[in-house]
């Protein structure tokens, strides 16, 4: 399976979000290193499940569009 990676900008934003959450919810200041470790752990632990769910959601959406295709573009041949 392909490893899920983030852009540096997205990873940095998530690290800042983790730092803010720990500060406001737990009154604990996290270093950039600790926040990055948490982001990496969550990405490794939850990334594949979230990715697979997104693929299933897209597949269902596209299948719905394909199912509607006949109704949208079908031309009555008997007319």
């Amino acid at each position: 399976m392909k490893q899920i990676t983030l852009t540096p900008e997205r990873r940095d934003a998530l690290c800042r979000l983790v730092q803010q959450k720990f500060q406001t919810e737990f009154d604990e200041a996290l270093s950039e290193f600790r926040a990055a470790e948490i982001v990496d752990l969550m990405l490794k632990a939850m990334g594949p499940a979230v990715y697979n769910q997104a693929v299933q959601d897209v597949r269902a959406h596209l299948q719905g569009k394909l199912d509607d295709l006949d109704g949208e573009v079908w031309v009555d041949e008997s007319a």
Side-chain angles (χ1 to χ4, degrees), residues 20-65:
Q20 290 171 358
K21 186 70 170 177
F22 268 73
Q23 185 64 52
T24 58
E25 297 295 323
F26 308 118
D27 198 25
E28 181 179 346
L30 288 183
S31 67
E32 289 180 25
F33 175 79
R34 289 176 70 197
E37 287 296 308
I38 291 171
V39 168
D40 290 344
L41 175 64
M42 292 296 104
L43 185 61
K44 186 176 181 179
M46 295 173 41
V50 172
Y51 178 85
N52 288 339
Q53 183 63 52
V55 169
Q56 289 176 355
D57 292 348
V58 169
R59 180 180 293 141
H61 176 74
L62 291 176
Q63 187 61 53
K65 294 290 185 184

